[in-house]
Amino acid sequence: MKKNMRKIALITGATSGLGKAIALRLAKEGYNVIITGRRRGHLEELEKEIEIKYEVKVLSLCFDVRVYDEVEKAINDLPEEWKDIDVLVNNAGLAVGLDPIHKGVLEDWERMIDTNVKGLLYVTRVISPSMVARKSGHIINIGSIAGKDVYPNGVVYCATKHAVDALSKGMRMDFLPYNIKVTQICPGAVETEFSLVRFKGDQARADQVYAGFENLVADDIAEAVSYVVSQPAHVDIQDMLVMPTAQASGSLVHKEIK
Ligand code: NDP
Ligand code: 8X3
């Protein structure tokens, strides 16, 4: 921790799933947290939960990572005491649809590319100059097994996560002179709102994804984040692949359906 000051973590996509669990975990560990997402009501609920449970400060920022002007305004308008962000967790992201390329829905492709690739870049572009100036910071990009592997019908999502893999490697190079750690955490199947979003609200189809095996839960990834941020200054966990025991690759899950 800074002398007499708590560290600050900003988590994108904190309204549900991994981002919410990561925000709660970092707050539990004494970070003041900036929680972001588009659903203002969800942010307000999480803000209250954190304030009740932990003696840290919490600030909500409601913006769409796909809109550069919104990202820039939200971050640049931060009160002075919140400006020196120590840990940025680039988590906001989504898959939309599960179609072969020749049947792909252009709007779905745009949403995935704009959120998972351009959104991550926009947030990093606005926050990293302050880390560079201070020669201090830690950027954690939430990638995926889909960034290490490719599975049929999910190719565009996989391509966006391969982009996150490349961006994580490249950021590590660009930030090397500035003492900024870059970590990529790549989960396998975690039960969150992810599949509900992918299948556009079809809960039964989303439930099928997690049937017959023990998937990861969001707290498993919060635990991974807790591990990487707690390393000493000279240690950077560069890349972490966290899979359910029953999942061997992007498309190979051992299911026991009764
Ligand atoms: P959820 O759908 O539960 O959460 C996604 C989060 O991203 C929400 O908080 C959502 O907030 C936010 N988000 C989506 N689009 C935008 C946007 N345009 N602007 C701002 N925020 C946005 O899914 P997960 O928690 O599972 O996903 C989190 C990350 O983990 C994603 O990057 C995903 O690709 C990755 N991942 C997930 C895995 C899984 O199996 N669940 C496995 C591997 C990686 P809001 O809607 O309020 O804007
Ligand atoms: C999310 C999990 O299985 O769609 O990244 O790759 S999966």
Side-chain angles (χ1 to χ4, degrees):
M1 292 287 162
K2 289 177 198 164
K3 226 177 180 184
N4 300 325
M5 281 173 72
R6 293 188 182 280
K7 282 192 174 182
I8 298 171
L10 183 145
I11 302 104
T12 66
T15 55
S16 75
L18 309 191
K20 182 177 178 182
I22 293 165
L24 282 162
R25 180 64 183 249
L26 291 179
K28 185 178 179 186
E29 293 184 359
Y31 284 78
N32 288 334
V33 288
I34 303 172
I35 52 175
T36 83
R38 292 166 301 175
R39 287 172 289 179
R40 193 178 296 278
H42 285 53
L43 289 173
E44 286 167 0
E45 280 168 28
L46 179 59
E47 193 174 321
K48 275 191 210 123
E49 184 178 348
I50 291 173
E51 279 169 351
I52 289 167
K53 284 186 174 161
Y54 308 115
E55 287 183 2
V56 298
K57 292 184 181 161
V58 52
L59 182 78
S60 300
L61 294 181
C62 191
F63 62 83
D64 187 327
V65 296
R66 294 171 297 180
V67 184
Y68 183 75
D69 289 351
E70 283 188 26
V71 177
E72 191 183 35
K73 182 165 178 14
I75 305 298
N76 287 348
D77 286 356
L78 277 172
E80 209 52 47
E81 59 170 317
W82 286 97
K83 278 194 188 295
D84 290 349
I85 293 164
D86 298 286
V87 176
L88 162 62
V89 184
N90 278 316
N91 163 77
L94 76 183
V96 198
L98 197 62
D99 304 296
I101 290 285
H102 63 286
K103 291 183 181 168
V105 178
L106 295 196
E107 195 201 339
D108 295 350
W109 293 359
E110 311 286 2
R111 279 180 67 194
M112 289 187 276
I113 293 165
D114 288 351
T115 310
N116 301 356
V117 183
K118 291 164 71 180
L120 181 147
L121 276 170
Y122 291 168
V123 174
T124 306
R125 178 66 184 87
V126 176
I127 291 178
S128 60
S130 152
M131 291 181 169
V132 166
R134 284 177 285 131
K135 288 204 166 176
S136 167
H138 193 164
I139 298 173
I140 299 172
N141 294 329
I142 303 298
S144 171
I145 178 61
K148 308 278 184 192
D149 205 356
V150 177
Y151 54 85
N153 304 323
V155 179
V156 176
Y157 176 68
C158 292
T160 66
K161 289 298 182 178
H162 275 69
V164 173
D165 192 51
L167 289 169
S168 301
K169 287 177 188 143
M171 283 181 194
R172 217 169 278 127
M173 294 170 186
D174 288 352
F175 293 137
L176 196 57
Y178 306 107
N179 190 41
I180 297 171
K181 296 187 188 188
V182 179
T183 298
Q184 178 180 229
I185 297 179
C186 298
V190 194
E191 188 167 4
T192 60
E193 293 179 11
F194 178 84
S195 293
L196 192 62
V197 171
R198 164 168 262 169
F199 298 124
K200 303 175 182 175
D202 185 338
Q203 186 70 61
R205 203 169 165 204
D207 289 345
Q208 278 303 309
V209 173
Y210 308 106
F213 76 108
E214 188 168 356
N215 51 259
L216 297 174
V217 294
D219 280 342
D220 296 323
I221 304 308
E223 175 75 24
V225 170
S226 164
Y227 175 73
V228 304
V229 297
S230 65
Q231 295 306 302
H234 68 288
V235 177
D236 177 26
I237 307 296
Q238 294 196 347
D239 207 355
M240 205 191 243
L241 180 60
V242 186
M243 301 287 280
T245 305
Q247 183 178 9
S249 72
S251 54
L252 188 60
V253 178
H254 179 69
K255 290 197 172 201
E256 290 182 1
I257 310 275
K258 287 171 192 136

